[in-house]
Amino acid sequence: MSLLVKETQLELRRKIMEALGRAVANEELPAEPIPDFIIERPSNSANGDFSTNVAMAGARAFKKAPRAIAESVVKNLDLEDSLFDKAEIAGPGFINFFLSQQYYTEILKDIADKGEDYGKSDFGKGKKVLVEFVSANPTGPMHIGNARGGAIGDCLASVLDYAGYDVSREFYVNDAGNQIEKFATSLEVRYLQLYKDGIEMPEDAYQGVDITAHAKAFAAEFGDKYVEAESADRRKALVDFALPKNIAGLERDLLQYRIKYDHWFKESSLHNDGSVTEVIDKLKSLGVTYEKDGALWFKASEYGNDKDIVLIRANGLPTYIVPDIAYHYNKLVTRGNDIAVDVLGADHHGYVPRMKAALTALGIDAGRLNCVIMQMVRLVRDGETIKLSKRSGKAITLTTLLEEVPIDAARFFFNLREPNSHFDFDLDLAAQETSQNPVYYVQYAHARICSIIKKAENEGIVIRNAADEELNLLNTSEELELIRHLSGLTDEIITAAKAYDPAKITHYVIELATLFHKFYNAQRVMCDDEGLMQARLNLCIAVKDTIKNILTMLKIDAPTSM
């Protein structure tokens, strides 16, 4: 929560404790230890600005009905010289507190004082977080699932940064293993088909047009040099030629999507520096492996997984999980990150308990690994789902998506739902410039305020910091509701960081735009009362700056005119 909200809540807790102390001193309540109680912000502002369950929490200790306890607390409250106006008892004994007008004034002053830092906190200060996301196989272009993962991962990293964590973004390059073998096979077949007849592409190979393009580019440079070469030499030459181009393409496309990684970590480095062998040796030395049917198994079932898993196949080759274990050991131990966040596709549900079991066996707190499971995306146009075909290679990629819809819309839309929910991406809506488009709606609120400010300046009005007595004039329901929502930004960012859910921020800013439009339609900003006009202009600027801070955090433009 913002410092002001936090201080206000702490002040309220002190006031409640003092009231309980007076009630005990007056023998209205017995001298018993005060039980834990909560103070929260009601979702309905009609129930006050803060509410406490202290009366219900104390019923057993004080041996009194909650309503009677609440009456004693309210009777002994001293709200003088505080930011609270009054307290009311509701229902069985809830106590609702209503803030004074000065509190709302202090919120606006706080926003003006913090400027572009409003919303930031030190909640996660001192903790290093590594967010790994997208990590698409470098064997082809990024698909629509990667587009969602990119928007979620990048915005989540920004949310964590605003919440005070030391954040790094990482792309894990799967440049080893079965996918690369399949990539080599696909390239080899397409290359040989340029010179020989009757060579068929295996059904499980990569069918995309990018494979053919790589093969033709390779042939243009090397000709038939590798047609009669050993298959291993030919495959290595093709992969060495095509893979760096694919990785560079991934980086280029992600930069276009406004995603810049701090690290590109290659799986091959774990094989080359001995990390894969080292993690197997660690697990062996800990006595958590056994041999069966010629393979090496990990006793994962003893560490929370539903069954044991193979580490080394009977042919001596490690399974895919081994370099992944080494990679997470590298994240959390070798590089000393406090928390690792993986943004994973829906098909990785079983992967999480396996990885947590391995970390636990290695003596690492598995709670330091947090996995965000992301559900599939359906693309919709004209109300119809667009069918994608992997076999034909005619899938909509990240780059083709960005040719159809603005980057702002793509990043905002993919964060409209929590990651673990299915999502229909409406291509028509994302391209619309109407209030039905949520990102346009938010951006329009920012542009509208810029227009108000420009109009005021054109009319010779000098906008200044309003005095307290002027800001105290902002007392209509629309104004108070708007300021109340503004006060919750820091808390909302912390909540989103704790839940690993950037959608909480898009929901917050949509609601902020809605409340601003409601205020604008109900109250005249450019009114005859100079003090009230300055106060409302200050309120508009607070909303504008808050919207800009949020859009900047999400790497979305905040236009000044639309």
Side-chain angles (χ1 to χ4, degrees):
M1 62 189 71
S2 73
L3 184 60
L4 179 60
V5 176
K6 185 175 182 179
E7 288 175 346
T8 304
Q9 190 163 321
L10 288 172
E11 179 192 27
L12 180 56
R13 182 171 289 273
R14 285 195 299 271
K15 293 289 184 184
I16 293 170
M17 296 289 283
E18 289 169 2
L20 286 168
R22 291 189 194 98
V24 170
N26 295 336
E27 298 184 350
E28 296 172 31
L29 295 175
E32 297 290 341
I34 297 171
D36 287 337
F37 59 92
I38 61 172
I39 297 172
E40 59 187 359
R41 305 194 75 177
S43 55
N44 185 350
S45 59
N47 294 325
D49 298 290
F50 290 94
S51 181
T52 182
N53 70 337
V54 65
M56 279 79 80
R60 178 174 295 180
F62 296 135
K63 297 181 176 60
K64 281 200 169 192
R67 185 91 187 180
I69 297 170
E71 288 171 354
S72 289
V73 171
V74 171
K75 176 184 173 183
N76 287 281
L77 269 174
D78 179 10
L79 297 180
E80 195 171 342
D81 298 324
S82 77
L83 289 173
F84 292 91
D85 258 352
K86 61 179 179 176
E88 293 179 352
I89 301 170
F94 286 104
I95 306 175
N96 297 330
F97 296 85
F98 295 81
L99 289 159
S100 68
Q101 188 64 44
Q102 186 61 33
Y103 172 84
Y104 295 95
T105 291
E106 294 299 327
I107 288 291
L108 293 180
K109 289 164 64 179
D110 188 44
I111 295 171
D113 182 57
K114 289 188 170 63
E116 63 183 23
D117 289 330
Y118 183 66
K120 295 180 180 179
S121 71
D122 60 359
F123 174 79
K125 185 178 180 180
K127 291 187 178 179
K128 288 176 61 179
V129 181
L130 183 67
V131 183
E132 182 223 327
F133 57 104
V134 180
S135 297
N137 285 317
T139 53
M142 283 174 290
H143 53 70
I144 199 69
N146 301 137
R148 188 183 191 191
I152 290 172
D154 197 42
C155 291
L156 173 56
S158 293
V159 166
L160 290 164
D161 179 56
Y162 269 59
Y165 291 91
D166 179 4
V167 182
S168 294
R169 294 165 170 81
E170 184 155 288
F171 189 112
Y172 182 55
V173 183
N174 294 112
D175 62 340
N178 290 335
Q179 300 298 330
I180 297 299
E181 289 303 310
K182 188 187 291 189
F183 185 52
T185 298
S186 309
L187 290 167
E188 182 179 39
V189 170
R190 289 299 187 220
Y191 172 65
L192 292 176
Q193 284 177 341
L194 297 173
Y195 298 96
K196 296 183 177 182
D197 295 328
I199 300 175
E200 297 294 327
M201 178 70 91
E203 279 196 19
D204 64 343
Y206 297 121
Q207 309 287 338
V209 294
D210 56 300
I211 298 294
T212 302
H214 280 314
K216 287 180 177 178
F218 182 84
E221 185 166 336
F222 298 102
D224 63 359
K225 176 181 176 181
Y226 288 93
V227 173
E228 301 302 329
E230 292 290 332
S231 177
D233 294 337
R234 180 168 56 242
R235 290 162 67 88
K236 182 179 186 305
L238 282 159
V239 170
D240 288 348
F241 175 83
L243 192 61
K245 290 179 170 57
N246 274 8
I247 294 172
L250 292 175
E251 187 169 7
R252 181 187 62 247
D253 293 345
L254 286 161
L255 279 172
Q256 180 191 353
Y257 201 27
R258 301 172 186 160
I259 298 174
K260 181 174 176 59
Y261 288 92
D262 298 292
H263 314 288
W264 288 72
F265 192 103
K266 291 186 176 181
E267 178 186 345
S268 58
S269 69
L270 297 167
H271 295 273
N272 296 336
D273 68 7
S275 294
V276 171
T277 302
E278 185 180 337
V279 82
I280 292 170
D281 291 342
K282 284 182 186 294
L283 291 169
K284 283 181 178 179
S285 68
L286 291 165
V288 296
T289 63
Y290 62 91
E291 292 189 11
K292 176 184 171 185
D293 301 328
L296 181 70
W297 293 70
F298 165 48
K299 300 175 183 177
S301 59
E302 295 182 9
Y303 296 93
N305 196 47
D306 58 348
K307 59 184 179 181
D308 293 346
I309 57 178
V310 175
L311 296 176
I312 306 293
R313 302 181 184 92
N315 62 8
L317 295 175
T319 58
Y320 80 92
I321 195 74
V322 178
D324 280 9
I325 296 171
Y327 176 46
H328 284 85
Y329 186 91
N330 177 280
K331 289 181 182 182
L332 294 168
V333 179
T334 307
R335 285 187 278 166
N337 289 292
D338 298 290
I339 301 169
V341 179
D342 294 358
V343 180
L344 304 170
D347 55 344
H348 283 71
H349 271 289
Y351 174 90
V352 179
R354 290 195 292 272
M355 188 55 58
K356 284 182 175 284
L359 292 175
T360 302
L362 288 165
I364 302 167
D365 178 6
R368 292 168 61 195
L369 171 62
N370 293 276
C371 296
V372 177
I373 300 296
M374 176 189 65
Q375 293 295 335
M376 298 295 290
V377 179
R378 289 193 311 173
L379 290 176
V380 177
R381 182 186 285 121
D382 298 326
E384 298 291 330
T385 301
I386 299 174
K387 301 294 183 183
L388 306 180
S389 172
K390 286 187 177 180
R391 181 162 295 186
S392 69
K394 295 179 180 178
I396 288 191
T397 64
L398 171 61
T399 51
T400 55
L401 173 72
L402 297 182
E403 289 170 2
E404 290 208 31
V405 303
I407 296 171
D408 288 343
R411 291 182 64 94
F412 199 91
F413 271 53
F414 282 128
N415 282 294
L416 280 173
R417 302 283 182 274
E418 65 177 23
N420 201 27
S421 64
H422 291 274
F423 179 56
D424 288 351
F425 191 109
D426 189 328
L427 292 167
D428 300 314
L429 181 60
Q432 282 182 21
E433 294 185 353
T434 70
S435 61
Q436 300 304 307
N437 179 341
V439 68
Y440 182 89
Y441 181 71
V442 170
Q443 290 175 319
Y444 178 69
H446 183 271
R448 174 179 251 184
I449 297 171
C450 291
S451 177
I452 293 168
I453 294 168
K454 187 175 181 180
K455 180 182 178 184
E457 290 172 345
N458 288 342
E459 293 180 6
I461 296 169
V462 178
I463 302 173
R464 55 176 172 77
N465 290 332
D468 283 19
E469 57 268 24
E470 293 171 326
L471 293 174
N472 285 339
L473 298 172
L474 299 173
N475 54 21
T476 68
S477 60
E478 294 85 8
E479 290 161 343
L480 295 180
E481 194 175 15
L482 183 52
I483 300 170
R484 188 181 296 113
H485 191 70
L486 285 169
S487 73
L489 175 60
T490 308
D491 202 24
E492 200 64 44
I493 290 173
I494 291 170
T495 300
K498 288 160 68 175
Y500 300 109
D501 181 13
K504 293 184 183 300
I505 305 304
T506 56
H507 296 169
Y508 173 91
V509 75
I510 290 170
E511 178 66 13
L512 178 57
T514 300
L515 292 173
F516 171 74
H517 293 309
K518 180 181 176 182
F519 152 75
Y520 182 79
N521 292 330
Q523 307 296 334
R524 285 182 60 227
V525 175
M526 312 296 283
C527 57
D528 296 331
D529 185 323
E530 161 70 14
L532 182 57
M533 178 183 67
Q534 289 291 344
R536 286 178 175 168
L537 284 168
N538 277 220
L539 175 56
C540 288
I541 291 170
V543 175
K544 174 184 73 71
D545 290 350
T546 302
I547 291 175
K548 185 174 182 180
N549 287 356
I550 294 168
L551 294 182
T552 299
M553 177 173 63
L554 302 178
K555 296 180 187 173
I556 292 170
D557 291 337
T560 57
S561 63
M562 293 177 72

